């Protein structure tokens, strides 16, 4: 491994996409238009749960410019990434308000929209399941009567037929029952919140065209180009090689663009018009109501300690609200289970994690994949327990923090190499927030200041064969073009990969040209751009490709310099003799092969190829959860200081601290961007974001006016970001993943601080002034 | 000016980034739609279509406006400036220098709005900056870097020419 003095890894190289983005010249998918393109629009369900009696398209057909109308009858089969339970267009039943019931194709978008408004569906209403708690009740109306018959696409999904449980994942470690009986003290608490939205500024878009030779060309705002190929292969019976997916840069994703929803719709639409290119672009309201959203959550946490205050037993019951279809919520159910304890050593663990159907829009992955949610429940419980035990909450955390040598809930053994230093993160966050145990502080004008902390962890739950590849193609001038299927969605991944390549090749990062778009026809396979996995997987692939290129450069260089390959080194644009660095040749003279003075040429173009695949990951045992689900755990601590106004229950966020151990930081500025953006997103959701449903299961706030994102001026007055860098031996230059981590502790830290300030235990999100008022009234002024 | 109120198109001319352009519009076309679909100026984005996000911000006679809420025919007698016309704005460079860009989708709207702020209120303090930029949403950055960018552009404001609008590169 190369830990010598570095020239670009660890440095704040400017993002390679920044200048072009600032000029407005970057073409996102919605900015591209294609000759002769048609436009699709979805007509959506006006019922949350109903049998479809009929769909009348006759009035819609009368709108000028309409070319096709597709309903669920065209393709009445369920699809899905984990459990195939969702027909792309509702068939027989609708299961949420806003679900597609027809797709209209027309010459212009406004014509398709007009026609969509003229689709008339007749429904037979069914009882609505309007909350995850209701869904869990024994006699709840069934949303999927056939869940036992759905095809499973991956391991570790266990529907319970005859219930609304789409999956039940269990963790059984140690002997929880026995340990619970001997605990010195225990606590139990329940938490909940509703579905919410990713609200990436760019709404989802897809185009599909089917060539006359059967090739299917997809352009999409997707984090999962190869999943689109897989799903088209599995469900539309298309050859994988005939499905070509293009992904431009994305205008934000946050996990919401990992789901495959629009592409099948656009495919069915294109198919209906003889393969012509059809574009389907969601407007904001559709992006919120029809496209997949962020899970809802209900958790009960029970913890027990021994005499010394050490946690010896933990029980966790998670109801993950999937909404109408399981999509990635089934995977989140598993991810939440396998990290259920948070970064604490607890020898006896019992966890039941349920993926629950309701008649709400369906959920998919969201930055953190179940961890911001479980961390909210765990860290609030830790704070309440510390209070009960009359311990300082940070001391209580440090006493129980997990360390190398101990095991995770799935009994994976932790080593200094696969987990960061959680205690160090906590201690540093404590200093940065100025924690002195004296709080809350009430000023004369009724303003209450308090600080809250949260400790968190997360592994990267990829499939066991998740992988990425990279190609480094040398140009005639000795510079390099880097190609991989890592999607640039704002996180800066292309810059990071360029730095990794430049470091290993000992080149300037400006001499690495990175292909910004993904085209599955020439980019190597990559699992997906999710799960904070890209720096690790694609970064390692880039290193392997660089090593491959270096071997080739030395081989050709040895011919040119008439020496053996072992004598040579590569760096600073040259291949040179190690012992005599002034004897060498410029890379450009070997990049396309070495040409002798007489014209004879040896070698040919240098093209480095590298692949990296996860090592030794295993599925989890069905009964106990035993297994190795992830390669490493990044850990961190966050702290928030708030100022709450007793007179009107409003509050502002004064300070937001993040300390993360993600191994070596490749680029401190893009990493800081991710941490600030992460805690901001987490705070925004925790503070004000939630879908509101009426009795009919209809979202009441499906737009950016009534759904409250944090606006300019409402962000914390100050963000502080620091990194602890415990290197991972098998990560590129020692890096683990960091992309999701900034978001994970935000809600928990905010809720902990606010609970202190307001002197009530806040157990729900979002933390609105109204929620605080209601909670206080219930505690102090029960009617 | 009479513009067809049916599905038919009428040819009109629009002054964008200093040059007059002939375009075909329907009466119902928004300025955002015309800029993007007729003129290929796709820097302004539609992220909500409701006036809630500011991604579509352009300058109309120097004033920042949500182009998703303006009909093209309302803008026929005005001068329009889009992000494509602000290549030399110090605000644009400040966004790059201050790491205020992640996915970049909100960026053109912020830069256009920020440019108007810096031009109209070269001495703007926090409160005005806040009020001015609340119309724009960003989901990636956490706003700190955007605030830093605006402040550094305000400080460097003396580099701006009188109207600050780049007419050299259209
Ligand atoms: S698109 Fe105009 S304000 Fe959002
Ligand atoms: S940078 Fe992505 S929305 Fe602002």
């Amino acid at each position: 491994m190369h830990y010598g003095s570095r020239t670009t890894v660890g440095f704040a190289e400017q993002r390679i996409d920044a200048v072009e983005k600032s000029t407005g010249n970057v073409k996102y998918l919605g900015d591209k238009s294609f000759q002769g393109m048609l436009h699709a629009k979805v007509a959506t369900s006006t019922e949350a749960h109903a049998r479809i009696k009929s769909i009348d398209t006759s009035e819609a057909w009368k709108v000028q410019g309409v070319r096709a109308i597709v309903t669920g009858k065209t393709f009445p089969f369920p699809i899905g990434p984990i459990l195939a339970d969702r027909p792309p267009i509702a068939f027989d039943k609708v299961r949420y308000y806003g679900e597609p019931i027809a797709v209209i194709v027309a010459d212009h978008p406004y014509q398709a929209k007009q026609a969509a408004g003229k689709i008339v569906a007749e429904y037979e209403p069914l009882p609505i399941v309007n909350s995850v708690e209701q869904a869990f009740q024994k006699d709840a109306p069934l949303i999927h009567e056939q869940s036992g018959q759905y095809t499973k696409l991956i391991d570790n999904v266990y529907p319970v037929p005859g219930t609304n449980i789409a999956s039940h994942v269990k963790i059984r470690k140690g002997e929880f029952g026995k340990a619970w009986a001997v605990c010195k003290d225990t606590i139990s608490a329940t938490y909940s919140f509703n579905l919410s939205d990713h609200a990436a500024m760019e709404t989802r878009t897809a185009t599909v065209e089917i060539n006359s030779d059967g090739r299917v060309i997809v352009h999409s705002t997707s984090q999962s180009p190869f999943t689109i190929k897989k799903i088209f292969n599995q469900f539309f019976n298309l050859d994988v090689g005939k499905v070509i997916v293009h992904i431009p840069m994305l205008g934000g994703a946050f996990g919401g663009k990992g789901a495959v929803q629009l592409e099948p719709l656009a495919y069915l639409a294109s198919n209906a018009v003889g393969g012509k290119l059809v574009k389907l672009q969601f407007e904001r309201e559709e992006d919120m109501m029809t496209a997949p959203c962020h899970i809802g959550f209900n958790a009960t946490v029970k913890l027990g300690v021994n005499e010394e205050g050490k946690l010896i037993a933990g029980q966790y019951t998670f109801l993950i609200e999937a909404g109408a279809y399981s999509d990635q919520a089934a995977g989140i159910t598993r991810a939440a289970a396998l990290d259920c304890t948070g970064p604490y050593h607890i020898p006896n663990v019992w966890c039941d994690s349920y993926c629950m159907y309701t008649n709400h829009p369906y959920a998919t992955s969201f930055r953190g994949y179940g961890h911001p949610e479980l961390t909210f429940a765990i860290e609030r419980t830790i704070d309440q327990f510390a209070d009960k035990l009359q311990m300082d909450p940070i001391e209580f955390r440090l006493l129980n923090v997990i360390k190398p040598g101990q095991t995770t809930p799935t009994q994976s053994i932790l080593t200094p190499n696969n987990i960061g230093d959680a205690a160090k993160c906590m201690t540093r966050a404590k200093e940065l927030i100025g924690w002195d145990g004296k709080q809350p502080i009430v000023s004369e004008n009724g303003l209450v200041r308090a600080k809250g902390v949260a400790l968190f962890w997360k592994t990267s739950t990829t499939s066991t064969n998740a992988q990425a590849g990279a190609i480094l193609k040398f140009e005639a001038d000795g510079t390099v073009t880097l190609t991989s299927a890592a999607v640039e969605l704002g996180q800066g991944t292309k810059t990071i990969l360029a730095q990794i390549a430049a470091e290993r090749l000992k080149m300037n990062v400006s001499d690495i040209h990175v292909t910004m778009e993904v085209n599955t026809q020439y980019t190597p396979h990559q699992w997906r751009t999710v799960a904070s996995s890209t720096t690790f997987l694609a970064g390692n692939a880039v290193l392997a490709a660089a090593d491959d290129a270096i071997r080739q450069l030395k081989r050709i260089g040895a011919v040119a310099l008439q020496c053996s390959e072992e004598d040579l080194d590569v760096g600073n644009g040259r291949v040179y003799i190690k012992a005599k660095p002034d004897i060498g040749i410029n890379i450009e003279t070997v990049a396309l092969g070495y040409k002798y003075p007489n014209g004879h040429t040896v070698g040919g173009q240098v093209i480095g190829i590298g692949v990296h695949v996860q090592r030794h990951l295993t599925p989890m045992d069905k009964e106990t959860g035993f297994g190795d689900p992830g390669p490493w755990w990044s850990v961190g601590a966050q702290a928030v200081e708030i100022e709450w106004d007793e007179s009107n229950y409003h509050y502002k966020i004064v300070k937001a601290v993040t300390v993360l151990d993600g191994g070596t930081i490749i680029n401190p500025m893009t990493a800081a961007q991710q941490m600030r953006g992460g805690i901001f997103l987490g705070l925004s959701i925790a503070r004000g974001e939630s879908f509101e449903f009426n009795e009919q299961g209809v979202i009441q706030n499906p737009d950016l006016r009534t759904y409250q994102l944090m606006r300019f001026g409402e962000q914390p007055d100050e963000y502080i970001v620091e990194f602890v860098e415990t290197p991972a031996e098998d990560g590129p230059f020692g890096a683990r993943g960091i992309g999701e981590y900034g978001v994970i502790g935000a809600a928990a830290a905010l809720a902990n601080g606010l609970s202190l300030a307001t002197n009530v235990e806040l157990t729900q999100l979002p933390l609105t002034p109204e929620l605080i008022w209601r909670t206080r009234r219930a505690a102090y002024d029960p009617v | 000016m009479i513009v067809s109120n049916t599905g038919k198109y009428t040819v009109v001319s629009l002054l964008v980034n200093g040059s007059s352009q002939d375009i075909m519009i329907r009466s119902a076309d928004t300025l955002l739609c015309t800029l993007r679909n007729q003129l290929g100026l796709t820097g302004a984005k539609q992220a909500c279509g409701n006036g809630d996000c500011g991604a579509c911000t352009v300058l109309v006679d120097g004033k920042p406006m949500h182009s998703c809420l303006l009909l093209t025919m309302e803008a026929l007698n005005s001068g329009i400036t889009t992000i494509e016309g602000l290549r030399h704005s110090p605000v644009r460079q400040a966004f790059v220098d201050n790491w205020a860009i992640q996915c970049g989708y909100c960026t053109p709207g912020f830069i256009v709005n920020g440019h108007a702020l810096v031009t109209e209120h070269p001495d703007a303090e926090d409160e005005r900056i806040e009020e001015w930029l609340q119309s724009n949403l960003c989901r990636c950055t956490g706003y700190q870097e955007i605030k830093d960018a605006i402040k550094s552009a305000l400080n460097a404001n003396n580099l701006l020419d009188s109207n600050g609008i780049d007419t050299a590169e259209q």
Side-chain angles (χ1 to χ4, degrees):
Chain A
M1 196 145 266
H2 168 93
Y3 284 131
S5 62
R6 295 183 185 140
T7 57
T8 173
V9 161
F11 292 85
E13 303 280 4
Q14 183 54 264
R15 295 175 61 117
I16 57 184
D17 52 352
V19 170
E20 214 194 340
K21 282 175 173 174
S22 75
T23 62
N25 282 340
V26 165
K27 294 280 180 268
Y28 301 88
L29 184 49
D31 300 334
K32 299 188 187 201
S33 59
F34 304 88
Q35 285 265 310
M37 136 177 120
L38 299 176
H39 297 269
K41 194 83 191 162
V42 288
T44 58
S45 163
T46 51
E47 297 283 331
H49 197 195
R51 209 154 284 289
I52 302 171
K53 287 169 74 181
S54 65
I55 294 179
D56 180 357
T57 59
S58 54
E59 286 303 307
W61 270 113
K62 291 181 188 156
V63 175
Q64 165 142 31
V66 170
R67 302 293 163 203
I69 299 177
V70 188
T71 63
K73 282 193 188 131
T74 309
F75 185 83
F77 310 107
I79 68 172
I82 294 176
L83 191 63
D85 61 3
R86 184 180 64 85
I89 306 172
F91 175 71
D92 185 33
K93 258 177 99 166
V94 290
R95 296 183 176 86
Y96 69 99
Y97 182 97
E99 181 169 1
I101 57 165
V103 182
I104 296 91
V105 186
D107 296 343
H108 295 287
Y110 68 89
Q111 295 166 332
K113 190 170 180 171
Q114 265 173 19
K118 292 185 193 282
I119 300 276
V120 184
E122 208 188 324
Y123 297 104
E124 176 193 320
L126 296 168
I128 295 165
V129 179
N130 213 358
S131 74
V132 73
E133 293 82 6
Q134 185 196 346
F136 199 61
Q137 282 164 12
K138 283 230 154 48
D139 53 355
L142 277 191
I143 297 166
H144 291 262
E145 297 84 351
Q146 313 292 332
S147 68
Q149 285 156 36
Y150 290 144
T151 308
K152 295 177 182 184
L153 282 298
I154 64 161
D155 302 314
N156 293 155
V157 56
Y158 311 109
V160 183
T163 73
N164 288 314
I165 300 170
S167 186
H168 176 193
V169 178
K170 300 176 204 170
I171 301 286
R172 306 287 183 258
K173 175 189 170 190
E175 295 191 69
F176 172 77
K178 274 191 191 160
W180 187 254
V182 300
C183 285
K184 169 83 190 321
D185 207 341
T186 63
I187 192 165
S188 170
T190 297
Y191 308 88
S192 65
F193 51 86
N194 269 340
L195 297 163
S196 53
D197 200 49
H198 303 85
M201 283 297 109
E202 175 198 43
T203 58
R204 293 152 172 106
T205 303
T207 72
V208 172
E209 174 183 12
I210 307 166
N211 278 350
S212 41
D213 64 356
R215 277 181 305 148
V216 178
I217 320 286
V218 181
H219 291 251
S220 172
T221 59
S222 173
Q223 297 171 261
S224 311
F226 290 91
T227 311
I228 295 171
K229 284 162 70 82
K230 188 172 154 192
I231 285 187
F232 276 33
N233 167 255
Q234 277 164 334
F235 297 105
F236 297 141
N237 211 8
L238 297 164
D239 291 349
V240 177
K242 284 200 167 169
V243 181
I244 298 156
V245 182
H246 299 255
I247 314 280
M249 282 190 261
L250 306 190
F254 313 111
K257 291 172 179 168
V260 178
Q261 182 192 33
L262 276 75
E263 301 83 358
L265 294 176
Y267 172 74
L268 294 171
S270 173
N271 211 18
V273 290
K276 288 209 185 80
L277 197 153
V278 174
K279 180 180 197 177
L280 174 61
Q281 177 161 26
F282 273 176
E283 294 180 73
R284 176 58 57 188
E285 290 75 4
E286 296 167 314
D287 209 60
M288 298 182 85
M289 284 201 287
T290 298
C293 58
H294 173 216
I295 59 164
F297 192 57
N298 176 299
T300 299
V301 178
K302 292 179 167 190
L303 296 177
V305 290
N306 64 14
E307 268 82 38
E308 300 152 41
K310 290 215 168 176
L311 293 164
I312 55 169
Q315 184 179 34
Y316 310 83
T317 311
F318 299 147
L319 304 183
I320 310 272
E321 181 172 3
Y325 300 102
S326 64
D327 203 83
Q328 286 293 333
I332 293 168
T333 302
R334 173 178 176 272
L338 63 90
D339 277 345
C340 64
T341 53
Y344 301 105
H345 173 58
I346 305 181
N348 303 290
V349 178
W350 183 286
C351 172
D352 292 293
S353 188
Y354 298 97
C355 182
M356 301 302 305
Y357 290 124
T358 64
N359 289 121
H360 290 160
Y362 71 102
T364 189
S365 46
F366 183 94
R367 198 176 189 180
Y369 210 62
H371 290 68
E373 300 79 2
L374 79 89
T375 302
F376 170 65
I378 303 305
E379 289 299 283
R380 280 267 48 232
T381 312
I382 293 279
D383 252 35
Q384 294 188 62
F385 207 4
D387 188 44
K388 194 173 179 213
L389 298 168
Q390 295 186 313
M391 287 181 74
D392 175 83
I394 291 183
E395 291 309 313
F396 185 49
R397 285 178 171 85
L398 290 174
L399 181 66
N400 286 290
V401 71
I402 201 159
K403 295 184 192 75
Q406 296 168 336
T407 62
T408 73
T410 68
Q411 302 175 55
S412 283
I413 299 166
L414 296 171
T415 70
N417 186 43
N418 70 7
I419 187 165
D421 192 334
K424 216 176 193 177
C425 293
M426 184 76 261
T427 310
R428 185 64 186 135
K430 177 182 173 179
E431 286 165 17
L432 290 170
I433 198 75
W435 182 275
D436 55 9
K438 290 193 219 87
Q439 55 166 332
I441 296 166
V442 187
S443 69
E444 283 145 31
N445 49 9
L447 296 178
V448 186
R449 280 215 175 203
K451 296 158 188 169
V453 297
L455 192 58
F456 59 86
W457 72 347
K458 181 185 182 296
T459 189
S460 179
T461 45
T462 67
S463 67
T464 56
N465 67 345
Q467 58 189 288
I471 299 172
L472 296 172
K473 187 163 64 81
F474 278 70
E475 304 289 345
D477 62 356
T479 63
V480 170
T481 296
L482 189 168
T483 304
S484 80
V487 176
E488 179 58 62
L489 39 86
Q491 82 283 46
T493 191
K494 300 288 190 182
T495 308
I496 298 302
L497 296 178
Q499 284 181 260
I500 291 171
E503 187 67 52
R504 179 55 62 95
L505 293 167
K506 297 190 201 133
M507 290 173 65
N508 288 326
V509 76
S510 57
D511 288 334
I512 310 287
H513 314 291
V514 188
T515 52
M516 299 306 284
E517 308 207 343
V518 173
N519 173 346
T520 60
Q521 213 167 16
Y522 60 74
T523 50
H525 185 92
Q526 178 164 338
W527 176 59
R528 311 199 287 147
T529 303
V530 299
S532 309
S533 64
T534 302
T535 297
F536 187 79
L537 290 176
N540 271 330
V542 166
L543 281 184
D547 289 341
D548 186 31
I550 289 168
R551 271 193 300 277
Q552 297 173 37
L553 289 166
K554 285 184 183 173
R555 199 168 59 228
I556 307 172
V559 173
L561 295 168
Q562 302 180 359
C563 63
S564 83
E565 292 167 34
E566 290 72 41
D567 291 341
L568 296 175
D569 223 338
V570 174
N572 303 316
R574 297 171 72 240
V575 184
Y576 58 90
I577 295 177
K578 271 185 249 178
K580 288 187 183 164
D582 49 325
I583 301 182
I585 46 167
N586 289 338
I587 284 184
E588 63 209 67
T589 57
V590 286
L592 298 182
Y594 175 72
K595 191 157 123 193
Y596 288 95
N598 68 0
H600 296 180
T601 303
V602 292
Q605 186 175 22
V606 174
I607 303 174
I609 297 171
V611 173
H612 188 82
V613 62
Q614 297 283 33
R615 163 172 33 87
H616 295 178
L617 298 189
T618 57
M620 287 158 63
D621 180 75
K622 183 174 186 221
E623 294 308 323
T624 65
F626 183 87
D628 279 320
W632 37 256
W633 281 257
S634 287
V635 295
Q638 290 180 311
V640 169
E641 180 174 1
I642 54 103
E643 187 176 77
W644 177 63
D645 188 339
E646 254 176 330
S647 67
N648 61 16
Y649 289 74
H650 284 257
Y651 58 92
K652 74 169 188 165
I653 304 169
V654 182
K655 214 188 236 190
V657 172
T658 303
V659 181
L660 186 84
D661 189 348
T664 304
I665 296 301
I666 307 288
N667 182 322
M669 284 306 282
T670 56
Q673 280 189 320
Q674 287 299 293
M675 292 308 113
R676 273 193 297 264
I679 198 167
F680 161 76
L681 179 63
L683 291 171
S684 180
I685 296 235
R687 171 181 161 278
E689 296 185 31
S690 173
F691 280 144
E692 287 161 28
F693 295 94
N694 68 6
E695 306 240 300
Q696 285 74 46
V698 182
I699 296 181
Q700 301 298 291
N701 53 344
D703 55 65
L704 298 179
R705 187 162 307 177
T706 51
Y707 181 93
Q708 300 276 328
L709 309 190
M710 213 178 247
R711 284 185 179 269
F712 193 100
E714 296 173 328
Q715 77 274 18
D717 292 347
E718 188 185 3
Y719 294 91
I720 301 176
V721 175
E722 279 196 14
F723 297 98
V724 171
E725 300 186 50
T726 310
E729 188 66 29
D730 47 5
F733 299 103
R736 292 186 199 90
I738 63 166
E740 299 164 287
Y741 289 80
V743 79
I744 297 178
L750 178 63
N752 280 342
L754 268 176
S755 294
L756 260 176
T758 59
N759 203 22
V760 280
E761 301 301 348
L762 298 166
T763 57
Q764 287 164 32
L765 298 177
L767 298 156
T768 57
E770 182 182 334
L771 174 85
I772 299 169
W773 175 75
R774 280 184 195 285
T775 313
R776 276 174 63 94
R777 200 178 59 162
Y780 297 120
D781 202 10
V783 262
Chain B
M1 166 76 55
I2 295 169
V3 173
S4 161
N5 204 18
T6 64
K8 301 264 168 4
Y9 291 84
T10 305
V11 178
V12 297
S13 67
L14 193 66
L15 182 62
V16 184
N17 296 333
S19 74
S20 177
Q21 315 247 7
D22 283 349
I23 49 169
M24 293 204 305
I25 61 166
R26 297 181 311 136
S27 58
D29 284 343
T30 61
L31 179 59
L32 177 61
C33 182
T34 300
L35 291 171
R36 290 174 57 82
N37 300 342
Q38 294 265 323
L39 297 172
L41 297 170
T42 55
K45 309 289 181 220
Q46 174 157 333
C48 74
N50 280 336
D52 297 333
C53 75
C56 62
T57 307
V58 300
L59 302 180
V60 179
D61 293 332
K63 294 258 182 282
M65 305 285 271
H66 291 159
S67 63
C68 72
L69 293 184
L70 269 181
L71 294 175
T72 306
M73 50 186 295
E74 294 179 282
L76 295 183
N77 298 317
S78 306
I80 315 292
T81 305
T82 68
I83 183 69
E84 288 86 353
L86 290 178
R87 183 165 290 225
H88 295 297
S89 167
V91 178
R92 189 198 62 72
Q93 188 59 41
F95 268 64
V96 175
D97 296 342
N98 287 278
W99 299 83
I101 302 170
Q102 289 192 29
C103 81
Y105 208 76
C106 70
T107 306
F110 266 105
I111 292 177
V112 171
N113 197 15
H115 178 89
L117 168 66
V118 171
T119 310
E120 280 203 22
H121 301 284
D123 50 2
E125 304 279 352
D126 278 14
E127 205 177 324
R128 189 183 292 279
I129 297 174
E130 214 165 272
E131 191 197 355
W132 197 277
L133 293 181
Q134 277 206 335
S135 56
N136 293 57
L137 283 170
C138 173
R139 192 61 157 168
C140 301
T141 63
Y143 300 121
Q144 179 60 49
E145 305 89 328
I146 293 177
K147 192 170 173 179
D148 294 345
I150 297 289
K151 287 189 140 182
S152 81
L154 281 165
N155 290 337
N157 192 33
N158 48 3
L159 299 175
L160 215 67
D161 68 21
S162 58
N163 64 9
I165 294 171
D166 165 35
T167 46
E169 287 210 30
Q170 265 114 36

